[in-house]
Amino acid sequence: MLFEDEMDVHLNPKIGPDWTLPRQRRVVVTPGNNQKRFVAGALDASTARITWVQGEKKTSALFIDLVRAVDAAYPRAKRLHFILDNAATHSSKKTKKALEALGERLVLHFLPPYCPEGNRTECLWWDVHANVTRSHRCKKMQALMTEVDAYLDARNTQKSASPLLRAASARRAA
């Protein structure tokens, strides 16, 4: 069973609470023209591992890419149960046609409208925003997406969310 959702990543940093030493301010770089990328992820309910893909647009193709990545990651699974929201990309004609290839192996379970607490992936995205995208200092989108990938990789490795993961990913990238 996998919880599925998408996350927007903006080059202009999210502004939010941040810790600094007394009488100091954190400088937040705003590169000007905002750019967006999207991450679609599937969180395994039993192992808490995340499988994800990136895309330039939040379209049916992004969701289809994620389903294919999950299919490749779980070759022995008889069925893949996805719990997901009611986004149009999850039930479009293009999506239905692409997912027919998996036949009965893929089962989609749609949550009620406006039910973010029913999808565990939402908490994961909040964690990514809190530890990577909020008040980041990246000037290029590729650098920010590399930090997102490193954070998710570290989270899969350690099976826990921690602010220390961001520091570890920065050390690896340097």
Side-chain angles (χ1 to χ4, degrees):
M1 182 169 67
L2 300 128
F3 292 93
E4 188 280 338
D5 198 26
E6 296 84 18
M7 169 182 68
D8 299 10
V9 179
H10 298 262
L11 186 57
N12 283 343
K14 284 179 158 284
I15 304 299
D18 200 4
W19 184 88
T20 61
L21 293 171
R23 296 187 206 118
Q24 291 189 351
R25 281 190 195 171
R26 175 174 278 227
V27 176
V28 179
V29 177
T30 54
N33 293 336
N34 193 23
Q35 295 176 21
K36 279 187 180 181
R37 295 292 183 276
F38 302 92
V39 178
L43 181 69
D44 188 315
S46 61
T47 65
R49 288 189 53 80
I50 181 89
T51 303
W52 73 95
V53 295
Q54 297 179 7
E56 293 193 15
K57 295 181 180 179
K58 194 188 296 188
T59 61
S60 296
L62 181 66
F63 177 63
I64 293 165
D65 288 346
L66 175 65
V67 171
R68 289 181 179 150
V70 169
D71 183 45
Y74 296 89
R76 295 182 185 167
K78 291 181 182 177
R79 287 229 167 97
L80 297 169
H81 291 271
F82 277 76
I83 298 172
L84 47 120
D85 59 19
N86 291 291
T89 57
H90 300 154
S91 57
S92 69
K93 289 179 185 178
K94 183 178 181 179
T95 299
K96 288 178 182 177
K97 185 175 180 180
L99 300 183
E100 284 177 2
L102 293 174
E104 293 181 13
R105 186 162 187 248
L106 179 69
V107 181
L108 303 180
H109 303 276
F110 291 96
L111 291 167
Y114 309 109
C115 187
E117 64 278 354
N119 192 335
R120 294 183 192 171
T121 315
E122 291 287 349
C123 293
L124 170 66
W125 297 150
W126 294 333
D127 184 51
V128 172
H129 285 310
N131 291 293
V132 180
T133 65
R134 182 173 293 130
S135 303
H136 72 81
R137 295 172 179 235
C138 297
K139 293 180 182 177
K140 304 265 184 199
M141 180 53 83
Q142 186 58 42
L144 179 57
M145 295 309 290
T146 300
E147 280 195 25
V148 169
D149 282 342
Y151 188 82
L152 293 172
D153 276 334
R155 188 182 186 287
N156 275 348
T157 303
Q158 296 184 7
K159 296 184 181 178
S160 68
S162 166
L164 297 176
L165 294 177
R166 183 175 185 195
S169 67
R171 283 194 297 269
R172 276 195 299 259

